[in-house]
Amino acid sequence: MHEFQSIYQALGEEKIKSLVHHFYLGVANTPSLLALYPEDLAPAEERLFLFLQQVFGGPQTYSDQRGHPMLRKRHFQWEIDGNMRNSWLNCMFAAMEKIEIDQNTKEAMMRYFVQVANHMINK
């Protein structure tokens, strides 16, 4: 079993859904991030939930509905610099504090989020 499968097993769907919900509450209060989204955050929240559920070892619903994630390509339309990356990570890490996660799982998730956020920088 790889590390991400154990994350899905440790968290389950409801905690991933809660994490994503708390993340988007943070986005709603971060003007630089909020400016990247349409007025209704619900569709983005659903997409991130499905994506994280898949990445962390759960159902492949995201790929079934949207194809390969192609994260960098999907995000290239926005200028993402170090400050934007930090804002995103701050919202995600704050959301992680809102749910109960064991330390090993939390560290694995943080490594993943930092790696992906760094990869999104295009400016």
Side-chain angles (χ1 to χ4, degrees):
M1 176 184 321
H2 68 71
E3 181 177 48
F4 289 166
Q5 286 174 321
S6 63
I7 290 174
Y8 180 77
Q9 289 180 342
L11 296 181
E13 284 187 25
E14 289 309 310
K15 281 190 180 180
I16 294 172
K17 190 171 285 240
S18 181
L19 171 73
V20 171
H21 180 71
H22 287 293
F23 169 78
Y24 277 102
L25 291 175
V27 167
N29 290 305
T30 307
S32 62
L33 290 177
L34 188 58
L36 304 178
Y37 292 91
E39 188 173 324
D40 183 7
L41 294 175
E45 187 170 332
E46 177 67 11
R47 285 189 303 272
L48 182 58
F49 163 68
L50 293 175
F51 174 75
L52 291 180
Q53 178 178 254
Q54 177 173 312
V55 164
F56 292 145
Q60 303 294 298
T61 309
Y62 181 91
S63 288
D64 291 346
Q65 291 180 2
R66 299 184 51 85
H68 190 281
M70 303 179 298
L71 287 183
R72 188 163 168 84
K73 182 178 180 183
R74 289 185 195 265
H75 290 82
F76 205 74
Q77 64 184 306
W78 299 287
E79 289 187 5
I80 300 173
D81 61 11
N83 289 330
M84 188 68 71
R85 178 212 52 202
N86 291 345
S87 294
W88 191 95
L89 285 171
N90 288 341
C91 287
M92 185 55 76
F93 291 165
M96 290 174 72
E97 294 300 320
K98 301 285 186 183
I99 63 172
E100 186 178 320
I101 308 173
D102 73 76
Q103 192 60 35
N104 290 336
T105 301
K106 186 178 199 175
E107 289 173 8
M109 292 171 70
M110 291 175 83
R111 282 192 302 274
Y112 172 76
F113 290 135
V114 168
Q115 178 183 7
V116 169
N118 287 339
H119 184 67
M120 293 299 108
I121 293 175
N122 60 24
K123 179 181 173 197

